[in-house]
Amino acid sequence: MAPCHHAPCHSLPALNPRLSRRVRPEAAFGKFRDARQQPNTCKPCPFRAMQQGKRRRRLLAAETGELGAADLPPEEPKESKHSVQVFPRIREKDPYRRLGVEHAATFEEVQEARNYLYEEYKAHEKSRESIEMALDEILKQKMKIRHKYGFRPPKSGRRTDVEGDPTKKNLLEQFKERLEPSVAGPTIVNDGSIFMALGIWSAWQSASSDPTLPLGAAICFCSYRLFDKRRKRNPEGPYWGNSPVWGALAATVGGLVVGGLVAWLTVRYVPFPAGLRPEAVGLFVLNAILGVLAIWFK
């Protein structure tokens, strides 16, 4: 075997000092591993050790039953959906009945009823709104009466509302209050023409066939006109029967009774030409009375 002719290792030229200072990955990993294996010489934090000691003692006391109820954190009450009380009269339209008081109740009685019901059903949102709306409706009614009649102090010395003692009025004054203060000319012409046409139709139908259809149309139109006027004049009430429909129907029935009586007296005691039939005249008079009721009554 031929001898090696290479120069010895110590005779090799020196390497680049920058390359010689580089650390191999194996050496760096070994240093990191040696640093992890060295024991931790840092002193523990005294505050952290104290907190850990308190925690251990507290857990031990809770396990052995030595921890009192005062040391435990308070439990938050859990509200159940089934325990919420709902106001039973939540859908009642009359505000006085909703609060459980009479219509003649004083403001103090209404306020006491509202406060009691509010505290009783304050957990239910819709019940609270219903109770508050009932009180607002009663206050609006009292203010309307106050603006209409002014302040009338009571003379009897009893507890009363803002309207005071009612003033006594005769039948004529009560009748005038139910009439319209003024009626526009177009309303008289338009509605009067409709009732006149229905009266002529009823009179003509009485000679040939049954006049029920034109008479029923006159009754329906009269009821509608009264209902429309009352609803527009006072949208929030109060109404008889909690609705303007019942008052309009009652007024129409009263107009039928009065119109029938006037038609009977007219046919019985007023002479007519031979060409006019008494039934036709009576039906025309009845339609005219309904027209007067629908145009001039409130």
Side-chain angles (χ1 to χ4, degrees):
M1 184 174 180
C4 180
H5 297 287
H6 293 286
C9 295
H10 56 82
S11 63
L12 291 176
L15 298 176
N16 192 351
R18 293 183 181 179
L19 297 177
S20 62
R21 282 197 294 266
R22 290 182 183 178
V23 181
R24 290 180 298 175
E26 295 81 359
F29 180 76
K31 291 182 180 179
F32 177 74
R33 183 177 56 189
D34 297 340
R36 290 183 57 185
Q37 292 177 358
Q38 292 179 2
N40 188 10
T41 58
C42 298
K43 296 182 180 180
C45 179
F47 179 76
R48 185 175 182 182
M50 183 176 60
Q51 293 293 332
Q52 292 178 355
K54 286 184 178 181
R55 187 178 304 173
R56 285 194 296 269
R57 288 193 297 271
R58 191 177 184 87
L59 292 175
L60 182 61
E63 291 177 358
T64 57
E66 297 177 358
L67 192 64
D71 299 328
L72 295 175
E75 296 183 0
E76 298 181 359
K78 298 181 180 180
E79 297 183 358
S80 177
K81 296 182 179 180
H82 302 285
S83 62
V84 178
Q85 295 183 2
V86 181
F87 187 41
R89 298 187 297 274
I90 192 172
R91 299 186 180 276
E92 177 64 42
K93 295 183 179 180
D94 189 0
Y96 291 93
R97 293 182 180 178
R98 196 184 309 170
L99 295 181
V101 296
E102 298 179 354
H103 286 265
T106 61
F107 177 74
E108 291 80 7
E109 295 173 350
V110 173
Q111 187 72 16
E112 290 177 1
R114 177 262 173 196
N115 294 339
Y116 173 77
L117 294 175
Y118 187 88
E119 291 294 331
E120 190 74 15
Y121 302 100
K122 63 181 180 180
H124 192 246
E125 182 179 358
K126 293 185 178 180
S127 299
R128 295 198 310 267
E129 293 178 358
S130 177
I131 295 170
E132 289 293 341
M133 289 178 62
L135 180 62
D136 293 343
E137 292 176 7
I138 293 175
L139 292 178
K140 288 180 182 179
Q141 294 178 11
K142 300 301 181 183
M143 290 303 298
K144 287 182 180 179
I145 295 174
R146 179 72 175 269
H147 292 162
K148 185 176 181 180
Y149 300 105
F151 177 70
R152 296 181 298 176
K155 300 178 181 179
S156 58
R158 57 180 174 81
R159 297 174 66 190
T160 182
D161 282 331
V162 294
E163 60 255 50
D165 295 329
T167 57
K168 296 181 180 180
K169 298 179 181 180
N170 53 22
L171 294 177
L172 182 60
E173 292 178 350
Q174 294 179 6
F175 180 76
K176 288 181 179 180
E177 284 186 354
R178 299 185 178 277
L179 294 177
E180 292 284 356
S182 61
V183 182
T187 303
I188 298 175
V189 174
N190 296 334
D191 294 353
S193 302
I194 293 175
F195 281 102
M196 184 178 293
L198 291 174
I200 295 173
W201 186 16
S202 300
W204 179 72
Q205 285 289 104
S206 64
S208 58
S209 60
D210 189 11
T212 304
L213 180 60
L215 183 60
I219 294 172
C220 293
F221 186 66
C222 178
S223 301
Y224 169 75
R225 290 294 299 151
L226 292 174
F227 164 76
D228 188 57
K229 288 193 294 184
R230 296 185 179 191
R231 180 176 57 86
K232 290 180 178 179
R233 181 182 294 107
N234 194 3
E236 299 179 358
Y239 302 115
W240 179 69
N242 298 328
S243 176
V245 176
W246 304 114
L249 291 176
T252 305
V253 172
L256 281 174
V257 174
V258 175
L261 181 61
V262 173
W264 178 77
L265 293 175
T266 302
V267 171
R268 185 175 181 84
Y269 294 103
V270 177
F272 295 101
L276 294 177
R277 301 177 68 254
E279 295 83 0
V281 175
L283 289 173
F284 184 82
V285 172
L286 181 58
N287 281 270
I289 296 297
L290 291 177
V292 171
L293 176 67
I295 294 173
W296 273 281
F297 271 71
K298 293 182 179 179

